[in-house]
Amino acid sequence: MKGSVLPSIRMEDIHPEKCWFNPGCAMSVYKPHLIEPMLAMLRQHLGDVKYHDVCCHHDPGLPEGAVIINNCAGCDRRFRSLYPGIRTISVWEVLNSLEGLTLPRWEGLTVSVHDSCSFRQKPQVHAAVRGVLRKMGIEIVESEHSGMKSICCGDTFYSRIPNEQVTAFHKKRAAQMPCGSVAVYCIGCVRAMTAGGKQPLYLPDLVLGRRTERMTDSLDAYHRAVEDYIALH
């Protein structure tokens, strides 16, 4: 139901022998070099977390009670809703809960946050994202449409409406961000903020001490690369 809150599993219910990290298709296509250090970060604190690269559009092939730590909001939604016996949690909830987690410092950086629409009903994820940002010394200026009131960046409309209209939606959404730098945790939102003239800061980049490059490929090229990955995984 729109506006309802979807619960997450508890950290104490995550057991390494039944725990997998899935980076999602977009990170695997555009930021594959981030996968290994993010997995290493999880393993340092949680034990032998396993790597899982089966796309959320396919049966994950995991045992009953498996927990998938997701980087992608869309993957989180599909895995938990389409496959019985699979439980999910966002990597941001996990990282924000870890004691003694070493994160880079970004002193002097002020951002707005674009919340992924697939996590709209999970305020615990919104809180975790902001918790991680603040632990890195980042200040946040909220937009009017954030958290459970977040609006899609426009990428969801790809193939449903002409590309020019998708790009117009990107620009409109970016213009709603008070800051020139916008923290995002979805690759599609990186593209949207780029189109709108903002500096996107992809959260996996930030926690690993890296800068985010603007995405300059076309909408068609971007989606074609993602669809090719989905077909192969």
Side-chain angles (χ1 to χ4, degrees), residues 46-160:
L46 298 180
D48 188 24
V49 177
K50 293 166 280 296
Y51 174 58
H52 185 259
D53 67 351
V54 177
C55 174
C56 60
H57 290 271
H58 308 301
D59 190 314
L62 297 177
E64 177 99 12
V67 172
I68 300 179
I69 299 174
N70 292 289
N71 167 65
C72 171
C75 293
D76 185 273
R77 175 173 53 82
R78 292 187 192 94
F79 279 132
R80 64 178 148 79
S81 62
L82 298 179
Y83 309 105
I86 301 298
R87 300 180 296 167
T88 63
I89 188 170
S90 81
V91 69
W92 310 116
E93 291 172 271
V94 174
L95 293 183
N96 192 49
S97 72
L98 296 177
E99 297 291 337
L101 177 65
T102 301
L103 293 170
R105 301 291 295 176
W106 294 92
E107 305 292 353
L109 179 59
T110 301
V111 306
S112 296
V113 181
H114 183 273
D115 291 299
S116 174
C117 55
S118 290
F119 273 143
R120 190 178 292 127
Q121 293 171 273
K122 284 197 165 187
Q124 62 273 36
V125 176
H126 310 148
V129 165
R130 287 154 177 79
V132 170
L133 289 171
R134 291 189 176 103
K135 287 176 182 177
M136 294 187 287
I138 298 173
E139 294 187 21
I140 301 167
V141 178
E142 295 287 6
S143 67
E144 178 182 358
H145 304 289
S146 63
M148 294 186 73
K149 297 186 294 181
S150 182
I151 299 172
C152 176
C153 69
D155 196 65
T156 301
F157 301 125
Y158 175 77
S159 79
R160 302 179 188 179

Side-chain angles (χ1 to χ4, degrees), residues 173-226:
R173 187 70 182 107
Q176 295 170 340
M177 297 292 126
C179 296
S181 295
V182 182
V184 300
Y185 40 107
C186 168
I187 288 283
C189 300
V190 172
R191 158 168 291 290
M193 294 303 114
T194 298
K198 300 291 186 177
Q199 174 57 58
L201 298 172
Y202 187 43
L203 197 48
D205 278 326
L206 287 174
V207 299
L208 294 170
R210 303 168 187 250
R211 291 286 180 179
T212 300
E213 308 81 13
R214 287 182 168 90
M215 290 178 66
T216 57
D217 55 345
S218 69
L219 268 172
D220 290 332
Y222 162 65
H223 281 278
R224 186 161 54 247
V226 170

Side-chain angles (χ1 to χ4, degrees), residues 8-75:
S8 289
I9 63 174
R10 300 177 305 170
M11 283 296 297
E12 53 265 39
D13 291 335
I14 300 177
H15 303 290
E17 64 272 15
K18 284 193 173 184
C19 184
W20 284 261
F21 170 62
N22 191 308
C25 59
M27 173 185 271
S28 299
V29 169
Y30 283 96
K31 295 278 184 173
H33 55 286
L34 300 185
I35 295 173
E36 187 55 40
M38 287 200 73
L39 182 59
M41 184 181 292
L42 292 171
R43 286 175 172 169
Q44 180 183 358
H45 293 270
L46 298 180
D48 188 24
V49 177
K50 293 166 280 296
Y51 174 58
H52 185 259
D53 67 351
V54 177
C55 174
C56 60
H57 290 271
H58 308 301
D59 190 314
L62 297 177
E64 177 99 12
V67 172
I68 300 179
I69 299 174
N70 292 289
N71 167 65
C72 171
C75 293

